[in-house]
Amino acid sequence: INRRISNLMEDDARGSGPAIKAMEDLIVRGNAAAELIGSRLDNLTERREVEAFAHLLHIRTVIGASGGGQHAAAAQKLAELSFVPLEMYRVEKCALDVSSLHQVVADRVPQLLLAAAKSLRLQYDASKSSALRAQLEAVRAFAGNTGIHYKFPAAAYQELARLCMV
């Protein structure tokens, strides 16, 4: 289920009707599976799958809010993801954390960071807030980290870097 959700994430973000329907069906199935597994989380593999499912839903929320123009909501949900730094002092730790994420979640990090950069940049442009500037700098440093950078398609990384330059 997690692999299929991850694979649908870009089409879902673009608003593709079939992708949205397939995503909603997978989420229902994933919630049922997570509930079933939840009672026996002593199995590490099952626990990682449930954690990955929760991360994917969270990432989908951030990407959807950003794409829907709800930039404050996207930033708020982004702050809830422990593996994304919004402060410079967390960049190295988060880069290490990403290396231990389930692969389907790690595959979505570039898309997540690009959506985050768009939302943070639009908020920064409207407010010139030093806190938002610092968050953009942390996202850029994180994306440029050698442990993360190789996962980015070149065009996505260039777009992210452009958005984060303030």
Side-chain angles (χ1 to χ4, degrees):
I1 291 174
N2 287 335
R3 171 63 53 199
R4 291 176 63 199
I5 288 173
S6 181
N7 289 343
L8 281 171
M9 198 81 67
E10 288 184 36
D11 289 339
D12 178 64
R14 284 192 292 270
S16 165
I20 292 171
K21 174 68 173 123
M23 181 71 80
E24 290 170 355
D25 291 345
L26 287 169
I27 290 170
V28 168
R29 291 177 52 207
N31 280 325
E35 188 175 313
L36 181 66
I37 292 170
S39 61
R40 53 179 208 267
L41 284 179
D42 54 326
N43 182 311
L44 181 61
T45 302
E46 290 177 344
R47 192 171 349 143
R48 280 185 52 81
E49 291 298 327
V50 170
E51 180 181 86
F53 178 71
H55 283 317
L56 288 169
L57 294 184
H58 212 101
I59 290 168
R60 181 179 187 242
T61 300
V62 172
I63 292 168
S66 178
Q70 301 170 337
H71 303 296
Q76 180 180 356
K77 291 305 269 184
L78 180 70
E80 296 171 10
L81 287 168
S82 63
F83 60 88
V84 178
L86 294 176
E87 299 90 12
M88 287 299 285
Y89 75 91
R90 295 189 58 236
V91 169
E92 291 300 319
K93 181 190 181 320
C94 289
L96 290 173
D97 290 350
V98 166
S99 68
S100 66
L101 287 174
H102 192 295
Q103 188 60 48
V104 297
V105 176
D107 290 346
R108 294 294 116 216
V109 170
Q111 185 182 8
L112 169 67
L113 292 181
L114 191 54
K118 287 177 185 176
S119 286
L120 292 171
R121 180 56 188 248
L122 287 168
Q123 289 182 88
Y124 173 78
D125 287 346
S127 69
K128 301 300 185 205
S129 162
S130 61
L132 288 167
R133 179 187 181 121
Q135 289 176 356
L136 280 164
E137 290 171 356
V139 167
R140 181 175 49 96
F142 180 59
N145 184 290
T146 56
I148 305 298
H149 184 266
Y150 74 93
K151 297 178 189 300
F152 273 85
Y157 181 77
Q158 290 170 352
E159 175 69 5
L160 185 136
R162 185 191 64 75
L163 288 166
C164 291
M165 294 301 290
V166 288

